[in-house]
Amino acid sequence: MTGTIYLGADTRPLEEGWTLLLTEAGRYQVPADLPRAAFHIPASVPGTVAGALTDAGLYDPAHPSALHDKDVWYIRSLDGEAPGPAILRFEGLATIADIFVNNVLAHTCESMFQPVDLSIDLSGSGELVICFRALQPHLERKGPRARWRPRIVDQQGLRLVRTTLLGHMPGWCPEIHPVGPYRPISLIRPSRDAISNLRIRADLDEFGTGQLSVELDEQEGTEMAVLCCGRTAPFERTSNGRLTARLELPGIAAWWPRTHGTPALHELTLAVDGRIHSLGLIGFRRIEIDRGEDGRGFGLKVNGVPVFCRGAVWTNADLLRLPGTAETYAPWLAKAAEANMNMIRIGGTMTYESADFFRLCDRLGIMVWQDLMFANFDYPVSEAGFPAHAVAEVEALLATLQGSPSLAVVAGGSEVFQQGAMLGLPEGVWKGDFFTTTLADAVSAARPDVAYVPNSPYGGSMPFAVNEGVTHYYGVGAYQRPLEDARRANVRFAAECLAFANVPQQRTLDAQLPVPPVHDPRWKARVPRDRGASWDFEDVRDFYLGELHAVDPVELRRTDPASYLDYARATTAEVVTETFGEWRRTGSSCHGGLTWTFQDLEAGPGWGIIDATGEPKSTWYAVKRAFRPVQIQLIDEGTNGLDIHVLNETGISQSVTVEITCLRDGSQPVVSASRSMSLDGRSAHRIAATDLFGAFFDTTYAYRFGPPSHDVTVARLIDKQGVVLSEAFHFPIGRKAARHPARIDHVFHHIDGLWWIELSTQQLAQSVHLDFEHFRPEDDWFHLAPGRTKRIRLYPREGASASLAPRGTLIHLGNRAIQTLG
């Protein structure tokens, strides 16, 4: 482990010149024993064994072979390196790895999650070798007896080894074993200045004053100060032998989640005897846990403002190579920002991401919920050395995230408490000091400004109870409860929810999985499922397809597979829209929801709302609409009528107009009304539809006095320039009754180098889908109602020529004839 920052050092990544050799497990102990004539292949660092073998044509990620039964040797010459003292830094080795310098064992790494610094004296020649030992013998060793065994993993011995569960969860992700130097290896030649055990705390008090504290180990014979926002503070020695500098910054521009304000960042620098070194960008914000009026809830307040947290659970940018660069993360996180997400959760079944991930989230205004990598297992917390290694792991992670404002929540792990509790074990068995005290203290020492949760889920009479604390909510979803359960369950905070086999866009299927849907074995292999269950998440999706659209999914996929896939795409989009509409309404008990998951790990109908190629699915577009900070929603309150909910989470007031129209046959207005209002910042309003109409109207068709007078209600929120900020739809007699063969007119516009399409209709069109070969629309799988033109920006796809004009197709559920655009 390293806690030292080498300021102004000559740091050079050792990326080139590596070769890789696979050998029988345990056959060779030192590099000198390796056969000279052995077959080596080039290897990239950072990277993985699976990635290198794939590049050499020796590994098929679609049909992965085992890698944990072999030793793998990474070899690089040190010839030509300038002689002298240096530091070799290994930021992540997966997993049991012997490091040899000039044939001498210098260190043995036992954790995928702890970096290593080695001090060496370079001679100008020699060799650096890393042997990644076969993991299988370590997985087979006997440890303390487990009191429960999770079914999601294929190797129970994983609880004894500090490595990721990725690649070991059949039905969840491809079985690509993570082996190799997946994080950078660097050669550091220190300069004059170095600091150790840096701690940065950037708080915002209730008066808007930034409170900056910087602490580090004592330095002899140096004069040091910190500089931020034009102010300087010297370091002073404290009673514990550390150096501390403090600054007060009145009126500082605060860091906000992107949905609520600007994620302001400020440069922090360190002066050492007059030499200036950057410590990076920091943000000032205050995170508080909001338990609600009854003390049983969970939510976050940021800078004193309650924030509805919404987003998704991150999986991995590339399971084959486990990259950790800003260039790899950026396209994914940009789509999270575009979808109005303000939180990403890194789950305990995944792996830690690099500091670049958090730096991007800092800039984008996306909060991060970070699970520590403890999931489901009964870990050997009483085994000698295990707690100390865990604490060192936490310290290493948080050392790289000092001052990062995006880190908002740290959870001790994922579903450990739930796993034990669901087996009927007493609380004293599954809830212990390791999660409630040991890890909590480690997090508090390194980042006292973040919220800590012992485990996810957590709270209530059982840790998985959805009406208290943090939950993993699958009432709507896997448990096939009606949509109304989202309210009935009284959810407080869903750290994961709404898992479906989300069908990718057809262009992805045509390129990556051109097989018949559902029953082709190649298709079924890509459908997520819980190991040992008699159902999968396609069954879950089909249940709601039948419920929402009054269509038999079995019959539809047999007679019209293309329509079946479109109905499937529309279904998951609608379920997400309805659920988050319920949770975000005025008076809801829920303070956050994170969909499971953000991206797929392989192309197909996975959990991800973005497919493995980076193409958004229908559900991504739905959450983009459902997560808007300025929003209008329609909530069916039965005999109490239809409520209009208007939200403005930003800090800026807006003058808006609320419009509502009930349409017969999707086209003829039966009743309509509008109201102008000033929408204050951080405000929420609930308006009864009848208040706008000025008289009783059975908007929800709850009283049923005669035949229904309308089949859809449309609400719009319009700004003072006439731009539609948000739309909402309600189907009082079901979506089937409002399915119409609407004709949609379109016009393209090319303005200042940007392409737009305008769509209009005389009749409601449900779940309109646009497809362009060279462009991605900013909205898709939306409902289009008469009365106003919808304007959509078209983003050029990567590699598309700037001279290309858009050409594509349009289709919707009510009219299966494909309409040509352009």
Side-chain angles (χ1 to χ4, degrees):
M1 176 188 159
T2 175
T4 302
I5 301 172
Y6 298 96
L7 302 168
D10 176 11
T11 301
R12 183 163 58 88
L14 301 182
E15 298 176 340
E16 306 295 333
W18 291 91
T19 61
L20 176 156
L21 172 66
L22 277 70
T23 66
E24 181 183 343
R27 182 169 184 179
Y28 304 106
Q29 298 306 308
V30 296
D33 295 340
L34 294 173
R36 293 184 178 275
F39 176 66
H40 293 242
I41 65 170
S44 297
V45 174
T48 62
V49 175
L53 293 175
T54 299
D55 292 341
L58 301 173
Y59 188 86
D60 181 2
H63 302 91
S65 53
L67 295 174
H68 285 331
D69 57 349
K70 306 170 182 68
D71 287 348
V72 184
W73 301 77
Y74 274 71
I75 303 168
R76 187 190 189 277
S77 173
L78 296 176
D79 292 350
E81 299 288 354
I87 306 294
L88 278 172
R89 172 163 291 175
F90 305 84
E91 296 186 28
L93 303 174
T95 293
I96 309 298
D98 291 336
I99 303 171
F100 297 89
V101 180
N102 297 333
N103 208 47
V104 176
L105 179 64
H107 182 80
T108 296
C109 170
E110 296 182 339
S111 171
M112 179 179 178
F113 306 128
Q114 286 185 244
V116 175
D117 272 9
L118 291 181
S119 297
I120 61 171
D121 281 306
L122 293 170
S123 64
S125 63
E127 194 173 57
L128 172 61
V129 178
I130 312 168
C131 179
F132 293 91
R133 297 296 182 183
L135 196 62
Q136 195 60 42
H138 297 271
L139 299 178
E140 293 172 353
R141 78 176 178 90
K142 299 296 183 184
R145 182 175 179 179
R147 292 164 292 184
W148 66 84
R149 295 173 176 267
R151 300 175 67 182
I152 69 167
V153 292
D154 59 4
Q155 296 271 7
Q156 295 298 317
L158 286 163
R159 73 189 186 98
L160 306 175
V161 182
R162 295 306 299 140
T163 194
T164 178
L165 300 189
L166 289 172
H168 296 280
M169 296 179 286
W172 280 40
C173 69
E175 295 177 51
I176 299 173
H177 292 162
V179 182
Y182 74 106
R183 291 287 181 262
I185 299 174
S186 303
L187 183 65
I188 303 172
R189 296 182 186 270
S191 184
R192 298 176 62 179
D193 303 325
I195 57 175
S196 297
N197 298 316
L198 174 69
R199 294 288 182 265
I200 300 170
R201 183 167 183 177
D203 282 341
L204 189 77
D205 69 21
E206 59 188 15
F207 303 107
T209 297
Q211 302 288 342
L212 175 64
S213 172
V214 180
E215 187 176 315
L216 44 82
D217 284 351
E218 187 172 359
Q219 306 269 40
E220 293 293 339
T222 58
E223 184 175 325
M224 304 176 69
V226 293
L227 300 85
C228 187
C229 300
R231 298 199 178 197
T232 305
F235 280 87
E236 299 178 354
R237 285 171 175 79
T238 59
S239 58
N240 62 0
R242 302 261 285 164
L243 299 178
T244 301
R246 290 186 170 85
L247 271 177
E248 286 195 356
L249 301 166
I252 191 77
W255 186 93
W256 287 95
R258 64 180 298 104
T259 50
H260 286 66
T262 301
L265 296 172
H266 307 272
E267 179 76 21
L268 177 64
T269 56
L270 175 70
V272 183
D273 291 336
R275 295 179 295 277
I276 303 298
H277 303 285
S278 174
L279 295 180
L281 296 173
I282 61 172
F284 292 86
R285 52 92 180 114
R286 183 172 75 259
I287 298 289
E288 302 168 276
I289 294 178
D290 182 3
R291 300 291 184 190
E293 294 182 1
D294 62 1
R296 298 172 57 194
F298 183 91
L300 293 184
K301 289 183 178 179
V302 181
N303 306 330
V305 175
V307 171
F308 185 90
C309 302
R310 68 279 205 158
V313 180
W314 178 268
T315 52
N316 196 271
D318 180 358
L319 184 62
L320 182 66
R321 304 176 194 278
L322 301 181
T325 64
E327 292 77 13
T328 306
Y329 294 136
W332 296 102
L333 292 176
K335 289 187 177 71
E338 185 184 342
N340 298 307
M341 296 184 182
N342 62 21
M343 179 173 275
I344 288 284
R345 174 178 165 228
I346 302 175
T349 54
M350 313 304 174
T351 190
Y352 298 115
E353 300 299 343
S354 75
D356 279 355
F357 182 95
F358 291 85
R359 293 187 188 105
L360 284 169
C361 289
D362 291 344
R363 291 177 178 274
L364 292 169
I366 300 173
M367 297 181 289
V368 180
W369 174 306
Q370 173 71 70
D371 284 2
L372 301 179
M373 295 299 127
F374 300 95
N376 296 81
F377 283 116
D378 179 20
Y379 287 94
V381 297
S382 60
E383 191 174 57
F386 188 91
H389 280 296
V391 169
E393 179 181 308
V394 174
E395 292 173 344
L397 169 70
L398 299 182
T400 66
L401 304 179
Q402 293 300 302
S404 170
S406 61
L407 182 64
V409 179
V410 175
S414 172
E415 296 193 351
V416 174
F417 291 3
Q418 171 177 295
Q419 197 85 49
M422 278 192 161
L423 291 173
L425 299 173
E427 182 177 296
V429 172
W430 45 263
K431 180 182 178 182
D433 290 343
F434 177 72
F435 291 103
T436 59
T437 302
T438 303
L439 297 180
D441 290 348
V443 171
S444 178
R447 286 296 303 263
D449 59 316
V450 305
Y452 180 78
V453 177
N455 226 256
S456 183
Y458 176 75
S461 57
M462 287 283 107
F464 47 84
V466 301
N467 63 352
E468 188 167 347
V470 176
T471 186
H472 294 179
Y473 173 74
Y474 293 111
V476 174
Y479 306 143
Q480 299 184 10
R481 302 287 297 165
L483 296 184
E484 292 79 7
D485 191 69
R487 178 183 294 197
R488 187 180 300 119
N490 197 25
V491 175
R492 302 306 184 93
F493 192 104
E496 59 186 64
C497 60
L498 299 174
F500 297 97
N502 289 305
V503 178
Q505 305 280 31
Q506 195 58 43
R507 62 173 41 253
T508 297
L509 295 180
D510 291 343
Q512 303 288 332
L513 193 62
V515 301
V518 182
H519 286 302
D520 188 290
R522 292 165 293 178
W523 174 282
K524 211 62 176 173
R526 306 287 178 93
V527 176
R529 63 193 180 281
D530 283 339
R531 197 177 183 208
S534 61
W535 53 270
D536 61 29
F537 285 85
E538 196 149 55
D539 297 325
V540 174
R541 185 195 67 226
D542 282 356
F543 169 80
Y544 289 98
L545 191 161
E547 290 291 301
L548 266 62
H549 295 286
V551 172
D552 180 0
V554 176
E555 178 67 15
L556 184 62
R557 71 178 179 236
R558 185 180 67 83
T559 58
D560 190 349
S563 290
Y564 165 74
L565 291 178
D566 280 348
Y567 272 92
R569 296 176 180 111
T571 295
T572 52
E574 290 292 277
V575 171
V576 165
T577 299
E578 294 294 325
T579 302
F580 277 100
E582 171 58 43
W583 286 345
R584 291 188 67 196
R585 67 176 173 84
T586 305
S588 170
S589 64
C590 186
H591 295 287
L594 308 176
T595 64
W596 182 270
T597 61
F598 183 62
Q599 72 269 70
D600 285 340
L601 293 171
E602 60 182 339
W607 282 314
I609 62 173
I610 301 177
D611 73 34
T613 72
E615 181 77 15
K617 301 182 186 180
S618 62
T619 316
W620 180 86
Y621 288 100
V623 302
K624 180 180 179 180
R625 295 188 293 268
F627 290 174
R628 287 175 293 214
V630 180
Q631 181 75 309
I632 191 167
Q633 300 173 162
L634 293 175
I635 304 296
D636 188 332
E637 298 293 349
T639 53
N640 288 320
L642 190 68
D643 279 353
I644 306 166
H645 293 257
V646 183
L647 313 175
N648 180 13
E649 295 176 323
T650 74
I652 302 171
S653 297
Q654 297 196 45
S655 296
V656 298
T657 298
V658 175
E659 290 184 353
I660 184 169
T661 304
C662 298
L663 300 175
R664 178 184 296 124
D665 298 327
S667 59
Q668 181 182 347
V670 176
V671 62
S672 62
S674 66
R675 174 185 294 178
S676 296
M677 59 188 297
S678 177
L679 195 57
D680 293 339
R682 320 271 191 237
S683 68
H685 306 265
R686 178 169 55 193
I687 308 166
T690 50
D691 285 351
L692 263 65
F693 297 146
F696 171 74
F697 182 77
D698 192 6
T699 321
T700 59
Y701 193 53
Y703 292 92
R704 301 177 184 271
F705 296 148
S709 59
H710 65 294
D711 55 20
V712 64
T713 299
V714 183
R716 293 187 175 105
L717 189 66
I718 303 166
D719 71 10
K720 60 184 179 181
Q721 284 79 37
V723 176
V724 177
L725 302 174
S726 175
E727 286 182 307
F729 297 82
H730 176 254
F731 302 94
I733 53 176
R735 288 164 175 79
K736 182 178 180 179
R739 202 157 56 233
H740 304 291
R743 171 71 187 181
I744 298 174
D745 296 318
H746 75 279
V747 178
F748 287 109
H749 297 282
H750 195 217
I751 305 171
D752 298 329
L754 304 177
W755 281 101
W756 302 78
I757 186 171
E758 288 187 348
L759 303 175
S760 59
T761 181
Q762 298 301 311
Q763 192 174 36
L764 175 74
Q766 285 190 56
S767 300
V768 178
H769 170 49
L770 304 173
D771 181 60
F772 299 92
E773 182 178 356
H774 299 293
F775 294 84
R776 176 178 66 82
E778 69 175 338
D779 199 8
D780 200 6
W781 296 101
F782 52 84
H783 303 321
L784 185 66
R788 285 188 179 266
T789 298
K790 185 176 180 69
R791 195 181 198 202
I792 300 170
R793 182 175 170 182
L794 305 178
Y795 296 99
R797 295 187 185 276
E798 185 177 354
S801 171
S803 63
L804 285 172
R807 292 185 62 85
T809 59
L810 178 152
I811 198 168
H812 62 88
L813 295 188
N815 189 342
R816 303 306 299 158
I818 296 176
Q819 182 177 337
T820 300
L821 304 174

